[in-house]
Amino acid sequence: MISYALRRLAAVAGLLVGVSVVVFAMIRLIPGDPARVLLGASGGDTEMLAGIRDELGLDDPAPVQYFRWIGQIFQGDFGRSFSQQKPVSELIVANAVPTLQITAIAMLVSLVGGIVVGTIAALRRGSLLDTVLMASSVLLLSIPSFWLGLLLLLLFAVKIPIFDVLGGTSFAGAILPGITLGLAGIGYIGRFVRSSMIEAHRQNFVVTARAKGISEWQVLARHTARNAILPVLTITGLQVGSVLSGAVMIEIVFSRPGLGRLLVDSILARDYLVVQAVVLLTCLLYALINLVVDLLYPVVDPRVLRGKR
């Protein structure tokens, strides 16, 4: 188990190194000069522009800038925002909480809704209820989250003012954006739960359990659900990435602060250090969640350690 965990940790470290290099290189391809952004509409003269570029280290070779950035990160310093003149870590802390609120609610809605829908559809396979649930899942997957967000905003914040959502950072204000983001996940996870449950129902050990006279609910709880959960774990880890990326659009639709809006604003302002830090930390969060999922595999199915799955 220890060697398995160390291999997964090494994979996460390698992923982060790769992401840092790719993000650093891609950000440098964005047209525009941060020094000119700092000078504003006046533009300043050539001497002022050169002074700011020298102060920010923008004239150094790209490898020098990269290793300087990495060295600062290991010291807990993500640099200073060019456009907002604040420490990047301060901006990230201020915007991370609203994004994590939405993400947590969306994942809860996706998991609970997906497991319930998928289990019911599997138990009623071939029935009208199964057809309706799967058709609803496809519908939820097909609706763009920004359009669904606008509909829910109009319905539950304007027509029926249950939620106070615009511009707020409270947990209550995150409920409707979180539900909006999580509805697509119900369709995604629900379809995988259904297929996993049906596959598990066909296994010989389930047939044997039924032959022994065990009730259907006991078969479901003791045998089917446990064997069906492994692919669902994989999908849940991947769904986190989808929710984090979808949070960008949802934060804009609901006028909420968050890492998504911070990222978009920083890209438009050519604020390299903020963009690099937000992307790297988002990837770190995604990688850590998938690491937890990987470490749960052997707990659910010990055959993973023996390389049989």
Side-chain angles (χ1 to χ4, degrees):
M1 181 65 185
I2 295 176
S3 62
Y4 175 82
L6 289 176
R7 286 199 301 272
R8 293 297 183 271
L9 280 172
V12 170
L15 171 68
L16 292 177
V17 171
V19 167
S20 68
V21 173
V22 171
V23 170
F24 182 87
M26 291 186 68
I27 293 301
R28 292 308 184 277
L29 295 177
I30 298 176
D33 187 347
R36 291 190 182 278
V37 175
L38 280 176
L39 287 173
S42 63
D45 54 28
T46 306
E47 187 175 344
M48 292 176 63
L49 190 65
I52 291 176
R53 291 186 61 81
D54 181 62
E55 181 183 346
L56 299 177
L58 298 176
D59 290 328
D60 293 334
V64 173
Q65 292 185 45
Y66 172 77
F67 285 109
R68 182 170 59 220
W69 174 54
I70 293 297
Q72 289 175 337
I73 289 176
F74 277 108
Q75 297 173 17
D77 180 12
F78 287 92
R80 193 172 181 82
S81 166
F82 299 158
S83 60
Q84 302 192 45
Q85 290 298 300
K86 292 181 179 178
V88 174
S89 55
E90 183 180 316
L91 293 174
I92 288 176
V93 170
N95 288 277
V97 174
T99 298
L100 291 179
Q101 287 174 341
I102 292 178
T103 303
I105 294 171
M107 287 306 301
L108 182 65
V109 170
S110 298
L111 272 175
V112 174
I115 290 173
V116 170
V117 168
T119 302
I120 293 175
L123 293 176
R124 296 290 183 268
R125 182 188 179 194
S127 67
L128 177 61
L129 181 59
D130 177 26
T131 303
V132 170
L133 289 176
M134 288 302 99
S136 302
S137 298
V138 173
L139 182 64
L140 289 175
L141 281 170
S142 306
I143 299 177
S145 58
F146 71 90
W147 188 74
L148 181 61
L150 290 173
L151 285 180
L152 294 179
L153 193 62
L154 178 65
L155 182 60
F156 294 112
V158 179
K159 299 292 184 184
I160 309 173
I162 299 175
F163 298 101
D164 179 19
V165 291
L166 289 176
T169 58
S170 64
F171 184 78
I175 293 176
L176 192 57
I179 291 174
T180 303
L181 203 52
L183 285 176
I186 292 178
Y188 191 59
I189 294 177
R191 292 175 65 82
F192 271 92
V193 170
R194 177 184 181 274
S195 58
S196 298
M197 296 282 284
I198 290 174
E199 181 64 28
H201 265 294
R202 294 172 177 163
Q203 300 300 315
N204 291 332
F205 57 84
V206 173
V207 177
T208 303
R210 285 174 175 157
K212 290 180 179 178
I214 298 176
S215 70
E216 279 299 315
W217 283 111
Q218 287 177 317
V219 170
L220 176 66
R222 293 180 183 177
H223 302 284
T224 309
R226 182 173 180 179
N227 285 275
I229 199 172
L230 208 57
V232 177
L233 273 177
T234 305
I235 296 304
T236 301
L238 297 175
Q239 183 64 18
V240 174
S242 175
V243 168
L244 284 173
S245 60
V248 176
M249 189 60 69
I250 291 300
E251 286 168 1
I252 293 174
V253 170
F254 286 88
S255 297
R256 282 179 61 84
L259 291 178
R261 290 192 65 184
L262 177 65
L263 180 63
V264 172
D265 293 341
S266 300
I267 291 173
L268 295 176
R270 284 83 171 174
D271 204 337
Y272 295 165
L273 294 178
V274 178
V275 176
Q276 291 169 181
V278 171
V279 174
L280 191 62
L281 288 176
T282 303
C283 289
L284 174 62
L285 177 62
Y286 178 63
L288 288 178
I289 290 174
N290 278 277
L291 174 64
V292 172
V293 171
D294 284 345
L295 295 179
L296 285 175
Y297 283 165
V299 177
V300 177
D301 189 348
R303 289 177 296 174
V304 173
L305 292 178
R306 299 194 294 269
K308 291 185 178 180
R309 292 198 63 150

